Structure formats: structure tokens, C-alpha cells
Amino acid sequence: MTLYNLVYLSSNIFNLYITKNFYELFLEHNKEKCRRTILAYILYFIATSSTYLLFEIPLLNLFVNIICFFIISLCYEGSITKKIFTTLSMYGYSFVIEILSLMILGVLIIKPAEKFEYDEILVHFLSKILSFLIIFILKNTLIKKAAELSEISALDSINFTDSTALVCG
């Protein structure tokens, strides 16, 4: 097993966490399907890792990834359309992050990495770090927005209750 294969497997484990957080941005987690969700993520890891290690065919990896992403989406609440959208968005998001990682490393042109052929490994690590950071920022921004909206709703209902009491009282 090569160093790149070890990096691929370790980044694939980290990708489970990234995927979980991405799906929770768009779909509601069903606590009753917790075991199924865990099994779906384990299936994702085994299927994608095995496909990569055994066949090393990028197109096959693409299909296995999309199928596994869809299976994972079935463990969450939401319409089938929303699940398909989330699945395709997750793959698109991963694609864009990898392109950005390649561009960043291409701009930086890290000579020692090229010399020792570690550039693919750096792209893998950078893409996972970027994915994590962007999802972390999105998740915290959406949580903050949701909290602000719920505060506004609570204030509106208090004001409505107060005005109703004044009118009726």
C-alpha cells in the first residue's frame, strides 16, 4: 500500500464528517434512523475505499460516490427531490473544493512537494481542510441566522400578545 493510498483512506474517514455536516445543512436528521445512518456511512467508507483501491477507475468512483451519497440521504428527513438535490450538491461541492485546492497549490507551486511527488497528497489534505472550513462557516452562519429569526418570531408573538391584551383588556 502506497503513501497516497493511506492518505486517501484517512481523508475518506474525514470525508464522513464533512458529508454528515453538509447533509445536516439541508436535511433534518431522523433520530429513529440513527443505526441506519451509521450503517450508511460505514457502507460509504467501505464502498468508496474498496472501489478506489481495487479498481482505480475514476468514473467508477464517481458512480459509487453518488450512489452512496444518495443512500446516505435516505437516512434523513425530506422530500425525494430535496434528497436528490442534496446528493448532487454534495458531489458538486466536493468537485469545486478539489478544483480550488488544485488552483491554490498551482499558484503556490510548492517545489519540494513536486520534487517528492507529494502534490497529490497536499491536494487531498487541502481539499478536506477547505471543505471542513467552508461547511463549518456555513453551519455556524445558518445557526446564527436561525437563532436570530426565532428571536424575532418570539418578539413578534410577544408584541402580538401584548397588543391583543391591550385591545381585549
Side-chain angles (χ1 to χ4, degrees), residues 29-153:
H29 182 63
N30 185 342
K31 300 209 187 266
E32 295 172 6
K33 294 182 181 178
C34 189
R35 285 188 181 173
R36 284 188 207 164
T37 306
I38 292 169
L39 288 174
Y41 281 107
I42 291 171
L43 171 73
Y44 168 83
F45 178 78
I46 291 171
T48 56
S49 298
S50 299
T51 303
Y52 171 76
L53 292 173
L54 296 175
F55 303 108
E56 294 187 30
I57 302 171
L59 192 58
L60 184 59
N61 277 4
L62 171 86
F63 288 124
V64 170
N65 262 304
I66 291 173
I67 290 167
C68 288
F69 283 151
F70 184 71
I71 290 170
I72 289 171
S73 77
L74 296 175
C75 298
Y76 291 87
E77 295 296 318
S79 68
I80 194 73
T81 308
K82 196 170 185 180
K83 290 176 182 182
I84 292 170
F85 171 78
T86 304
T87 299
L88 295 176
S89 296
M90 179 64 201
Y91 205 81
Y93 173 77
S94 299
F95 179 75
V96 168
I97 292 296
E98 288 201 24
I99 297 288
L100 279 172
S101 300
L102 284 168
M103 289 173 55
I104 290 169
L105 285 179
V107 167
L108 295 178
I109 307 173
I110 303 170
K111 294 294 181 192
E114 275 182 7
K115 183 178 178 183
F116 296 108
E117 299 177 9
Y118 293 136
D119 50 341
E120 290 178 0
I121 292 171
L122 286 173
V123 167
H124 241 74
F125 277 123
L126 184 60
S127 68
K128 299 308 171 198
I129 290 168
L130 282 174
S131 289
F132 174 77
L133 288 174
I134 291 170
I135 289 193
F136 179 78
I137 290 167
L138 281 173
K139 195 171 185 180
N140 285 328
T141 303
L142 291 175
I143 288 171
K144 188 184 286 186
K145 292 254 187 237
E148 289 172 1
L149 287 175
S150 66
E151 284 177 19
I152 291 170
S153 297

